[in-house]
Amino acid sequence: MSQAATRRVLSGIQPTADSFHLGNYLGALRQWVALQDSYETFYCVVDLHAITVPTEPADLRRRSRRAAAQLVAMGVDPARSALFVQSHVPEHAELAWVLGCLTGFGEANQMTQFKDKSAKQGTAAASVGLFTYPILQAADILLYSPPPGAGELLVPVGEDQRQHLELSRTLAQRFNHRYGETFVLPDAHIPKATAKITDLQEPTAKMSKSSSTPQGIIDVLDEPGVARRKIMRAITDTGTEVTADEQNKPGVTNLLRIFSALAGEPIEDLERRYAGTGYGQFKKDLAQLTVDTLAPIRERTEKLLADDDQLDRILGQGAERASAVATRTMAIVRDRVGFVGRG
Ligand code: AMP
Ligand code: TRP
């Protein structure tokens, strides 16, 4: 009898803002929802990652709850997915330690996101936690590995996480080589069309909560009027044609990418529809589509946030399901590494 393959998905998102933005939603979170249909899914609000930069305790607590509520509101279904808070499953930190001992200092020092993030405050002032952040991320992922040879492990993220995913694969391989086959190599799941949504005011830069101005970023929880205004005022390029041209028309191209993803229509169809109409009608329709997509998410989020007990119950159940897998993996890891078993 052949054993059924275990097909798992793991992803995480930091609770570092009161609202997710459209880049998070289109680049990653929509995939989280879609993958529930065919995978065993684990989704994690990564609060340990959030404290790699100075964070107010009250903000962290509020944002962790808001993150969970938004995920449920977007369609992460607690009946099908384990939705949990990273710090509720201490094996994440424990495996990170073991993997950290397999990571070269020079290797960790290659991570471009650390360089970008630490450049703001100066490397000397950056925390060691920020430096080892990608190793904790590798632990998040590998804890949910099916047994090697018996499944797959997919990680839906945006383009900016590609290098971290490579490190996870390298560390899985190294662990397997040193201690015996333990982990499958995780695969990044980065749909090209939405891998990088850009800033509405600076369309060659990534839409980002840390570097975009409020005008450049659509928050999932923006009031409808606010979201509408931001789209109407988005930078468009010289000319009047609604056509995709990354080099010469990055602004319009980004709006086309957003429109296409929200409507589920190919960019070419949109180009045809708006041929000769100018930017005005195109933006108006995109603004309406954006508001129609986000308004129900916002309403559901507010309802969920009004019932702390229900949200805590969801997260409690999620942590239980995640723990069942994480403790099993960690028991194998401890044994392979040579830690003496507790009597
Ligand atoms: P962050 O908010 O940077 O922690 O990102 C959370 C998730 O959203 C990650 O999977 C990112 O890769 C993805 N993401 C963030 N910004 C963008 C963007 N502008 N376009 C596409 N995906 C993004
Ligand atoms: N580093 C990711 C980001 O900034 C968040 C993250 C933490 C993550 N752990 C993860 C993503 C595990 C995927 C899998 O978006």
Side-chain angles (χ1 to χ4, degrees), residues 140-174:
D140 295 341
I141 296 167
L142 297 180
L143 270 180
Y144 300 90
S145 169
E152 63 176 307
L153 181 58
L154 211 60
V155 187
V157 284
E159 180 61 39
D160 58 359
Q161 296 301 310
R162 197 180 284 283
Q163 195 188 29
H164 291 169
L165 261 290
E166 274 306 311
L167 180 70
S168 305
R169 288 173 67 87
T170 303
L171 293 177
Q173 224 159 4
R174 193 169 299 153

Side-chain angles (χ1 to χ4, degrees), residues 229-241:
R229 250 190 325 276
K230 288 179 184 173
I231 300 260
M232 294 311 291
R233 290 182 188 161
I235 293 281
T236 33
D237 315 280
T238 51
T240 54
E241 288 300 307

